[in-house]
Coordinates of all heavy atoms in Angstrom, one line a residue:
M82 N 15.4 17.8 -21.5 CA 14.5 16.7 -21.0 C 15.3 15.4 -20.8 O 16.1 15.0 -21.6 CB 13.4 16.5 -22.0 CG 12.4 17.7 -22.2 SD 11.3 17.8 -20.8 CE 10.0 16.7 -21.3
T83 N 15.1 14.8 -19.7 CA 15.7 13.6 -19.4 C 14.6 12.5 -19.2 O 14.3 12.1 -18.1 CB 16.6 13.6 -18.1 OG1 15.8 14.1 -17.1 CG2 17.8 14.5 -18.3
D84 N 14.1 12.1 -20.4 CA 13.0 11.1 -20.4 C 13.5 9.7 -20.2 O 12.8 8.8 -19.8 CB 12.2 11.2 -21.7 CG 11.2 12.4 -21.5 OD1 11.0 12.8 -20.4 OD2 10.6 12.8 -22.6
D85 N 14.8 9.5 -20.6 CA 15.4 8.2 -20.6 C 15.7 7.7 -19.1 O 16.5 8.3 -18.5 CB 16.7 8.2 -21.4 CG 17.2 6.8 -21.6 OD1 16.6 5.8 -21.0 OD2 18.2 6.6 -22.3
P86 N 15.0 6.7 -18.6 CA 15.1 6.3 -17.2 C 16.6 5.8 -16.9 O 17.0 5.8 -15.8 CB 14.1 5.3 -17.0 CG 13.7 4.8 -18.4 CD 13.9 6.0 -19.3
K87 N 17.3 5.4 -18.0 CA 18.6 4.9 -17.8 C 19.6 6.1 -17.4 O 20.6 5.9 -16.8 CB 19.1 4.2 -19.0 CG 18.8 2.7 -19.1 CD 19.3 2.1 -20.3 CE 18.7 0.7 -20.6 NZ 19.0 0.2 -21.9
N88 N 19.2 7.3 -17.9 CA 20.1 8.4 -17.7 C 19.8 9.2 -16.5 O 20.4 10.2 -16.2 CB 20.1 9.3 -19.0 CG 20.8 8.6 -20.1 OD1 21.7 7.8 -19.9 ND2 20.5 9.0 -21.4
M89 N 18.7 8.9 -15.8 CA 18.3 9.6 -14.7 C 19.3 9.4 -13.5 O 19.9 8.4 -13.4 CB 16.9 9.3 -14.2 CG 16.8 8.0 -13.5 SD 15.1 7.3 -13.3 CE 14.1 8.7 -13.3
S90 N 19.5 10.5 -12.7 CA 20.4 10.4 -11.6 C 19.7 9.6 -10.4 O 18.5 9.4 -10.4 CB 20.8 11.8 -11.1 OG 19.7 12.4 -10.5
C91 N 20.5 9.2 -9.4 CA 20.0 8.5 -8.3 C 18.9 9.4 -7.6 O 17.9 8.9 -7.1 CB 21.1 8.2 -7.3 SG 22.2 6.9 -7.9
A92 N 19.2 10.7 -7.5 CA 18.3 11.6 -6.8 C 16.9 11.7 -7.5 O 15.9 11.6 -6.9 CB 18.9 13.0 -6.7
E93 N 17.0 11.7 -8.9 CA 15.8 11.7 -9.7 C 15.0 10.4 -9.5 O 13.8 10.4 -9.4 CB 16.1 11.9 -11.2 CG 16.5 13.3 -11.5 CD 16.9 13.5 -12.9 OE1 17.6 12.6 -13.4 OE2 16.6 14.5 -13.6
F94 N 15.7 9.3 -9.5 CA 15.1 8.0 -9.3 C 14.4 7.9 -8.0 O 13.3 7.5 -7.8 CB 16.1 6.9 -9.6 CG 15.5 5.5 -9.2 CD1 14.6 4.9 -10.1 CD2 15.9 4.9 -8.0 CE1 14.0 3.7 -9.7 CE2 15.3 3.6 -7.7 CZ 14.4 3.1 -8.6
Q95 N 15.2 8.3 -6.9 CA 14.7 8.2 -5.6 C 13.5 9.1 -5.3 O 12.6 8.8 -4.5 CB 15.8 8.4 -4.6 CG 16.8 7.3 -4.5 CD 18.1 7.6 -3.8 OE1 18.1 8.5 -2.9 NE2 19.1 6.9 -4.1
A96 N 13.5 10.2 -6.1 CA 12.3 11.1 -6.0 C 11.1 10.5 -6.5 O 10.0 10.8 -6.0 CB 12.6 12.4 -6.7
Q97 N 11.3 9.6 -7.5 CA 10.1 8.9 -8.1 C 9.7 7.6 -7.4 O 8.7 7.1 -7.6 CB 10.4 8.5 -9.6 CG 10.4 9.7 -10.5 CD 10.6 9.3 -11.9 OE1 10.5 8.1 -12.3 NE2 10.8 10.3 -12.8
L98 N 10.6 7.2 -6.5 CA 10.5 5.9 -5.8 C 9.1 5.8 -5.1 O 8.4 4.8 -5.3 CB 11.7 5.6 -4.9 CG 11.9 4.2 -4.5 CD1 11.9 3.3 -5.7 CD2 13.2 4.1 -3.8
P99 N 8.7 6.7 -4.2 CA 7.5 6.6 -3.5 C 6.3 6.4 -4.5 O 5.3 5.7 -4.2 CB 7.4 7.9 -2.8 CG 8.7 8.4 -2.6 CD 9.5 7.9 -3.9
E100 N 6.3 7.2 -5.6 CA 5.3 7.1 -6.6 C 5.2 5.7 -7.3 O 4.2 5.1 -7.5 CB 5.5 8.2 -7.7 CG 4.2 8.5 -8.5 CD 4.5 9.5 -9.5 OE1 5.1 10.6 -9.2 OE2 4.1 9.3 -10.7
L101 N 6.4 5.2 -7.6 CA 6.5 3.9 -8.2 C 6.0 2.8 -7.2 O 5.2 1.9 -7.7 CB 8.0 3.5 -8.5 CG 8.6 4.3 -9.7 CD1 10.1 4.1 -9.8 CD2 7.9 3.9 -11.0
I102 N 6.3 2.9 -6.0 CA 5.8 2.0 -5.0 C 4.3 2.1 -4.9 O 3.6 1.1 -4.8 CB 6.5 2.2 -3.6 CG1 8.0 1.9 -3.7 CG2 5.8 1.4 -2.5 CD1 8.8 2.3 -2.5
G103 N 3.8 3.3 -4.9 CA 2.4 3.6 -4.7 C 1.6 3.0 -5.9 O 0.5 2.5 -5.7
T104 N 2.2 3.0 -7.1 CA 1.4 2.4 -8.2 C 1.6 0.9 -8.3 O 0.9 0.3 -9.2 CB 1.9 3.1 -9.6 OG1 3.3 2.8 -9.7 CG2 1.7 4.5 -9.6
G105 N 2.4 0.3 -7.4 CA 2.6 -1.1 -7.4 C 3.4 -1.6 -8.6 O 3.3 -2.7 -9.0
A106 N 4.2 -0.7 -9.2 CA 5.1 -1.0 -10.3 C 6.2 -2.0 -9.9 O 6.5 -2.0 -8.7 CB 5.7 0.2 -10.9
D107 N 6.6 -2.7 -10.9 CA 7.7 -3.7 -10.6 C 9.0 -2.9 -10.6 O 9.7 -2.7 -11.7 CB 7.7 -4.8 -11.6 CG 8.8 -5.9 -11.3 OD1 9.4 -5.8 -10.2 OD2 8.9 -6.8 -12.1
I108 N 9.4 -2.4 -9.5 CA 10.6 -1.5 -9.4 C 11.9 -2.2 -9.7 O 12.8 -1.6 -10.2 CB 10.6 -0.8 -8.0 CG1 9.4 0.0 -7.8 CG2 11.8 0.1 -7.9 CD1 9.1 0.3 -6.3
S109 N 11.9 -3.5 -9.4 CA 13.2 -4.3 -9.6 C 13.5 -4.4 -11.1 O 14.6 -4.7 -11.5 CB 13.1 -5.6 -9.0 OG 12.0 -6.4 -9.5
A110 N 12.4 -4.1 -11.9 CA 12.6 -4.2 -13.4 C 13.0 -2.8 -14.0 O 13.1 -2.7 -15.2 CB 11.4 -4.7 -14.0
H111 N 13.0 -1.8 -13.1 CA 13.3 -0.4 -13.6 C 14.7 -0.3 -14.1 O 15.6 -0.9 -13.5 CB 13.1 0.5 -12.4 CG 13.1 2.0 -12.8 ND1 14.2 2.7 -13.2 CD2 12.0 2.8 -13.0 CE1 13.8 3.9 -13.5 NE2 12.5 4.0 -13.4
P112 N 14.9 0.3 -15.3 CA 16.2 0.4 -15.9 C 17.3 1.0 -14.9 O 18.4 0.6 -15.0 CB 16.0 1.4 -17.1 CG 14.6 1.2 -17.4 CD 13.9 0.9 -16.1
H113 N 16.9 2.0 -14.1 CA 17.9 2.6 -13.2 C 18.3 1.5 -12.2 O 19.5 1.4 -11.9 CB 17.3 3.8 -12.5 CG 18.3 4.5 -11.7 ND1 19.2 5.4 -12.2 CD2 18.6 4.4 -10.4 CE1 20.0 5.8 -11.2 NE2 19.7 5.2 -10.1
I114 N 17.4 0.8 -11.6 CA 17.7 -0.3 -10.6 C 18.6 -1.3 -11.3 O 19.6 -1.8 -10.7 CB 16.4 -0.9 -10.1 CG1 15.7 0.0 -9.1 CG2 16.6 -2.3 -9.6 CD1 16.3 -0.1 -7.7
Q115 N 18.3 -1.6 -12.5 CA 19.1 -2.6 -13.3 C 20.6 -2.2 -13.4 O 21.5 -3.0 -13.4 CB 18.6 -2.9 -14.7 CG 17.1 -3.3 -14.7 CD 17.0 -4.8 -14.5 OE1 17.9 -5.6 -15.0 NE2 15.9 -5.3 -13.9
S116 N 20.8 -0.9 -13.5 CA 22.2 -0.4 -13.7 C 22.8 0.3 -12.5 O 24.0 0.6 -12.6 CB 22.2 0.6 -14.9 OG 21.4 1.7 -14.5
C117 N 22.1 0.4 -11.4 CA 22.6 1.1 -10.3 C 22.6 0.2 -9.0 O 21.5 -0.1 -8.5 CB 21.8 2.4 -10.0 SG 22.4 3.3 -8.6
E118 N 23.7 -0.2 -8.5 CA 23.8 -1.0 -7.4 C 23.4 -0.3 -6.1 O 22.7 -0.9 -5.2 CB 25.3 -1.4 -7.2 CG 25.5 -2.7 -6.4 CD 26.9 -3.2 -6.4 OE1 27.6 -3.1 -7.4 OE2 27.4 -3.6 -5.3
L119 N 23.6 1.0 -6.1 CA 23.3 1.8 -4.9 C 21.8 1.8 -4.7 O 21.3 1.5 -3.6 CB 23.8 3.2 -5.1 CG 23.9 4.1 -3.9 CD1 25.2 3.8 -3.1 CD2 23.9 5.6 -4.3
C120 N 21.0 2.0 -5.7 CA 19.6 2.1 -5.6 C 19.0 0.7 -5.4 O 17.9 0.5 -4.8 CB 19.0 2.8 -6.8 SG 19.3 4.5 -6.8
R121 N 19.7 -0.3 -5.9 CA 19.2 -1.7 -5.7 C 19.3 -2.0 -4.2 O 18.4 -2.6 -3.6 CB 20.1 -2.7 -6.4 CG 19.5 -3.2 -7.7 CD 20.0 -4.6 -8.1 NE 21.5 -4.7 -8.2 CZ 22.2 -4.4 -9.3 NH1 21.6 -3.9 -10.4 NH2 23.5 -4.5 -9.3
A122 N 20.4 -1.6 -3.5 CA 20.5 -1.8 -2.1 C 19.4 -1.0 -1.3 O 18.9 -1.5 -0.4 CB 21.9 -1.4 -1.7
L123 N 19.2 0.2 -1.8 CA 18.2 1.1 -1.2 C 16.8 0.4 -1.3 O 16.1 0.4 -0.3 CB 18.1 2.4 -1.9 CG 17.1 3.4 -1.3 CD1 17.6 4.1 -0.1 CD2 16.8 4.5 -2.4
L124 N 16.5 -0.1 -2.5 CA 15.2 -0.8 -2.7 C 15.1 -2.0 -1.7 O 14.0 -2.2 -1.2 CB 15.1 -1.2 -4.1 CG 13.7 -1.9 -4.5 CD1 12.6 -1.0 -4.3 CD2 13.8 -2.4 -5.9
A125 N 16.1 -2.8 -1.6 CA 16.1 -3.9 -0.7 C 15.8 -3.5 0.7 O 15.1 -4.2 1.4 CB 17.5 -4.7 -0.8
D126 N 16.4 -2.4 1.1 CA 16.2 -1.9 2.5 C 14.7 -1.5 2.6 O 14.1 -1.8 3.7 CB 17.1 -0.6 2.7 CG 18.5 -1.0 3.2 OD1 18.7 -2.2 3.3 OD2 19.3 -0.1 3.3
L127 N 14.2 -0.8 1.6 CA 12.8 -0.3 1.7 C 11.9 -1.5 1.8 O 10.9 -1.5 2.5 CB 12.5 0.5 0.5 CG 13.1 1.9 0.5 CD1 12.8 2.6 -0.8 CD2 12.5 2.7 1.6
E128 N 12.2 -2.6 1.0 CA 11.3 -3.8 1.0 C 11.3 -4.5 2.4 O 10.3 -5.0 2.8 CB 11.7 -4.7 -0.1 CG 11.2 -4.2 -1.5 CD 11.6 -5.1 -2.6 OE1 12.6 -5.9 -2.5 OE2 11.0 -5.0 -3.7
T129 N 12.5 -4.5 3.0 CA 12.6 -5.1 4.3 C 11.8 -4.3 5.3 O 11.1 -4.9 6.1 CB 14.1 -5.1 4.8 OG1 14.9 -5.7 3.8 CG2 14.3 -5.8 6.1
I130 N 11.8 -3.0 5.2 CA 11.1 -2.1 6.1 C 9.6 -2.3 5.9 O 8.8 -2.4 6.8 CB 11.5 -0.6 5.9 CG1 12.9 -0.4 6.4 CG2 10.5 0.3 6.7 CD1 13.5 0.9 5.9
A131 N 9.2 -2.3 4.6 CA 7.8 -2.5 4.3 C 7.2 -3.8 4.8 O 6.1 -3.9 5.2 CB 7.6 -2.4 2.7
E132 N 8.1 -4.8 4.6 CA 7.6 -6.2 5.1 C 7.5 -6.2 6.6 O 6.5 -6.7 7.1 CB 8.7 -7.2 4.7 CG 8.3 -8.6 5.0 CD 7.0 -9.1 4.3 OE1 6.8 -8.6 3.1 OE2 6.3 -9.8 4.9
A133 N 8.4 -5.5 7.3 CA 8.3 -5.5 8.8 C 7.0 -4.7 9.2 O 6.4 -5.1 10.1 CB 9.5 -4.8 9.3
A134 N 6.7 -3.6 8.4 CA 5.6 -2.8 8.8 C 4.3 -3.6 8.6 O 3.3 -3.5 9.4 CB 5.5 -1.6 7.9
R135 N 4.3 -4.4 7.5 CA 3.1 -5.3 7.3 C 2.8 -6.2 8.4 O 1.7 -6.5 8.8 CB 3.2 -6.0 6.0 CG 2.7 -5.3 4.8 CD 2.4 -6.2 3.6 NE 3.7 -6.7 3.0 CZ 4.3 -6.0 2.1 NH1 3.9 -4.9 1.6 NH2 5.4 -6.5 1.6
Q136 N 3.9 -6.8 9.0 CA 3.8 -7.7 10.1 C 3.4 -7.0 11.4 O 2.7 -7.6 12.2 CB 5.1 -8.5 10.3 CG 5.3 -9.5 9.2 CD 6.7 -10.2 9.2 OE1 7.4 -10.0 10.1 NE2 7.0 -10.9 8.1
L137 N 3.8 -5.7 11.6 CA 3.5 -5.0 12.8 C 2.1 -4.5 12.7 O 1.4 -4.5 13.7 CB 4.5 -3.8 12.9 CG 5.9 -4.1 13.5 CD1 6.8 -2.9 13.4 CD2 5.8 -4.6 14.9
F138 N 1.6 -4.1 11.5 CA 0.3 -3.5 11.4 C -0.5 -4.3 10.3 O -0.7 -3.8 9.3 CB 0.4 -2.0 11.0 CG 1.3 -1.2 11.9 CD1 2.5 -0.8 11.4 CD2 0.9 -0.9 13.2 CE1 3.4 -0.1 12.2 CE2 1.8 -0.2 14.0 CZ 3.0 0.3 13.5
P139 N -0.9 -5.5 10.7 CA -1.7 -6.2 9.7 C -3.1 -5.6 9.5 O -3.6 -5.0 10.4 CB -1.9 -7.6 10.3 CG -1.7 -7.4 11.8 CD -0.7 -6.2 11.9
I140 N -3.6 -5.7 8.3 CA -4.9 -5.1 8.0 C -6.0 -6.0 8.6 O -6.1 -7.1 8.2 CB -5.1 -4.9 6.5 CG1 -4.1 -3.9 5.9 CG2 -6.5 -4.5 6.1 CD1 -3.9 -4.0 4.4
V141 N -6.7 -5.4 9.5 CA -7.8 -6.2 10.1 C -9.1 -5.7 9.5 O -9.5 -4.6 9.6 CB -7.8 -5.9 11.6 CG1 -8.9 -6.7 12.3 CG2 -6.5 -6.3 12.3
E142 N -9.8 -6.7 8.9 CA -11.1 -6.3 8.3 C -12.2 -6.6 9.3 O -12.1 -7.6 10.1 CB -11.3 -7.2 7.0 CG -10.4 -6.7 5.9 CD -10.7 -7.5 4.6 OE1 -11.8 -7.8 4.4 OE2 -9.7 -7.8 3.9
P143 N -13.2 -5.8 9.4 CA -14.3 -6.0 10.3 C -15.0 -7.3 10.0 O -15.4 -7.6 8.9 CB -15.2 -4.8 10.2 CG -14.9 -4.2 8.9 CD -13.5 -4.6 8.6
P144 N -15.2 -8.2 11.0 CA -15.9 -9.4 10.8 C -17.4 -9.2 10.4 O -18.0 -8.3 10.8 CB -15.8 -10.2 12.1 CG -15.6 -9.1 13.1 CD -14.9 -8.0 12.4
D145 N -17.9 -10.2 9.6 CA -19.3 -10.1 9.1 C -20.3 -10.0 10.3 O -21.3 -9.3 10.3 CB -19.7 -11.3 8.3 CG -19.0 -11.1 6.9 OD1 -18.5 -10.0 6.5 OD2 -18.9 -12.1 6.2
E146 N -19.9 -10.7 11.4 CA -20.8 -10.8 12.6 C -21.1 -9.4 13.1 O -22.2 -9.0 13.5 CB -20.1 -11.6 13.7 CG -20.7 -13.0 13.8 CD -20.1 -13.7 14.9 OE1 -20.3 -13.4 16.1 OE2 -19.3 -14.7 14.6
L147 N -20.0 -8.5 13.1 CA -20.1 -7.2 13.6 C -21.2 -6.4 12.8 O -22.1 -5.7 13.4 CB -18.8 -6.5 13.5 CG -18.8 -5.0 14.0 CD1 -19.0 -5.0 15.5 CD2 -17.4 -4.4 13.7
W148 N -21.2 -6.6 11.5 CA -22.2 -5.9 10.7 C -23.6 -6.4 10.9 O -24.5 -5.7 10.9 CB -21.8 -6.0 9.2 CG -20.5 -5.1 8.9 CD1 -19.3 -5.6 8.6 CD2 -20.4 -3.7 9.0 NE1 -18.4 -4.6 8.5 CE2 -19.1 -3.4 8.7 CE3 -21.3 -2.7 9.2 CZ2 -18.6 -2.1 8.7 CZ3 -20.9 -1.4 9.2 CH2 -19.5 -1.1 8.9
E149 N -23.7 -7.7 11.2 CA -25.0 -8.3 11.4 C -25.6 -7.7 12.7 O -26.8 -7.4 12.8 CB -24.9 -9.8 11.5 CG -24.9 -10.5 10.2 CD -24.5 -11.9 10.2 OE1 -24.8 -12.6 11.3 OE2 -24.0 -12.5 9.3
H150 N -24.7 -7.5 13.7 CA -25.2 -6.9 15.0 C -25.6 -5.5 14.8 O -26.7 -5.1 15.3 CB -24.0 -6.9 16.0 CG -23.8 -8.3 16.6 ND1 -24.8 -9.0 17.3 CD2 -22.7 -9.0 16.7 CE1 -24.2 -10.1 17.7 NE2 -23.0 -10.2 17.3
I151 N -24.9 -4.7 14.0 CA -25.2 -3.3 13.7 C -26.5 -3.3 12.9 O -27.4 -2.5 13.3 CB -24.1 -2.7 12.9 CG1 -22.8 -2.5 13.7 CG2 -24.5 -1.3 12.4 CD1 -21.6 -2.1 13.0
E152 N -26.7 -4.2 11.9 CA -27.9 -4.2 11.1 C -29.2 -4.5 12.0 O -30.2 -3.9 11.9 CB -27.8 -5.2 10.0 CG -27.2 -4.5 8.8 CD -27.1 -5.5 7.6 OE1 -28.0 -6.4 7.5 OE2 -26.1 -5.5 6.9
S153 N -29.0 -5.5 12.9 CA -30.1 -5.9 13.7 C -30.5 -4.8 14.7 O -31.6 -4.6 15.1 CB -29.9 -7.2 14.4 OG -28.8 -7.1 15.3
A154 N -29.5 -4.1 15.2 CA -29.7 -3.0 16.1 C -30.5 -1.9 15.4 O -31.4 -1.3 16.0 CB -28.3 -2.4 16.6
I155 N -30.1 -1.6 14.1 CA -30.8 -0.5 13.4 C -32.3 -1.0 13.1 O -33.2 -0.2 13.3 CB -30.1 -0.3 12.0 CG1 -28.8 0.4 12.3 CG2 -31.0 0.6 11.1 CD1 -27.8 0.4 11.1
Q156 N -32.4 -2.3 12.8 CA -33.8 -2.8 12.6 C -34.7 -2.7 13.8 O -35.8 -2.3 13.7 CB -33.6 -4.3 12.2 CG -34.8 -4.8 11.3 CD -34.8 -4.1 10.0 OE1 -33.8 -3.9 9.3 NE2 -36.0 -3.6 9.7
Q157 N -34.1 -3.0 15.0 CA -34.9 -2.8 16.2 C -35.3 -1.4 16.5 O -36.4 -1.1 16.9 CB -34.0 -3.4 17.4 CG -34.1 -4.9 17.5 CD -33.1 -5.4 18.5 OE1 -32.6 -4.7 19.4 NE2 -32.8 -6.7 18.4
E158 N -34.4 -0.5 16.2 CA -34.7 1.0 16.3 C -35.9 1.3 15.4 O -36.9 2.0 15.9 CB -33.5 1.8 15.8 CG -32.4 1.8 16.8 CD -32.4 2.9 17.8 OE1 -32.8 4.0 17.4 OE2 -32.2 2.7 19.0
K159 N -35.9 0.8 14.2 CA -37.0 1.1 13.3 C -38.4 0.5 13.8 O -39.4 1.1 13.8 CB -36.7 0.5 11.9 CG -35.8 1.3 11.1 CD -35.7 0.7 9.7 CE -34.6 1.4 8.9 NZ -34.2 0.6 7.7
D160 N -38.3 -0.8 14.3 CA -39.5 -1.5 14.8 C -40.1 -0.7 15.9 O -41.3 -0.6 16.0 CB -39.1 -2.9 15.2 CG -38.8 -3.8 13.9 OD1 -39.1 -3.3 12.8 OD2 -38.3 -4.9 14.1
S161 N -39.3 -0.3 16.9 CA -39.8 0.4 18.1 C -40.4 1.7 17.7 O -41.3 2.1 18.4 CB -38.7 0.6 19.1 OG -37.7 1.4 18.6
S162 N -40.0 2.4 16.7 CA -40.6 3.7 16.3 C -41.9 3.5 15.7 O -42.7 4.4 15.6 CB -39.6 4.4 15.4 OG -39.5 3.8 14.2
H163 N -42.2 2.2 15.2 CA -43.5 2.0 14.5 C -44.7 1.9 15.5 O -45.8 2.2 15.3 CB -43.5 0.7 13.7 CG -42.9 1.0 12.3 ND1 -43.5 1.8 11.4 CD2 -41.7 0.5 11.7 CE1 -42.7 1.8 10.3 NE2 -41.7 1.1 10.5
S164 N -44.3 1.3 16.7 CA -45.4 1.1 17.7 C -45.9 2.4 18.3 O -45.2 3.3 18.5 CB -44.9 0.1 18.8 OG -43.8 0.8 19.5
G165 N -47.1 2.4 18.6 CA -47.6 3.6 19.3 C -49.0 4.0 18.9 O -49.8 3.8 18.2
Ligands
ZN74 ZN1 20.9 5.0 -8.4

């Protein structure tokens, strides 16, 4: 068993990297990163790519107005079905 993160190989660390990023962990504080220049450089590259991706694909939330339009449209449907 290689539970000690300091003794893990670069391949083992890099295999865990997507999971670490996914959990939002502070990867720069990881013992392997602290002791491995290679993986520090890799992480820096990944962060640059991630930052570029955020700028290319910003998260656009639907404006409240849109939902108000949808709600009023549904309301009108209901009202028209009552008459008759
Ligand atoms: Zn490494």
Side-chain angles (χ1 to χ4, degrees):
M82 292 285 275
T83 53
D84 279 346
D85 188 355
K87 273 182 194 170
N88 287 335
M89 77 195 329
S90 69
C91 288
E93 282 174 321
F94 173 72
Q95 284 167 28
Q97 287 187 9
L98 200 50
E100 199 182 313
L101 289 169
I102 292 168
T104 56
D107 187 5
I108 299 160
S109 61
H111 194 282
H113 185 86
I114 281 284
Q115 301 275 328
S116 62
C117 180
E118 204 175 317
L119 199 77
C120 288
R121 260 206 307 274
L123 179 80
L124 180 65
D126 278 354
L127 286 175
E128 282 178 341
T129 305
I130 291 163
E132 185 59 38
R135 269 198 290 272
Q136 283 170 14
L137 282 172
F138 309 108
I140 296 161
V141 180
E142 290 182 37
D145 286 344
E146 257 181 70
L147 180 67
W148 290 110
E149 278 170 26
H150 284 304
I151 291 167
E152 272 182 37
S153 66
I155 292 166
Q156 206 61 49
Q157 278 169 21
E158 288 270 317
K159 279 185 191 165
D160 288 348
S161 62
S162 68
H163 276 296
S164 62

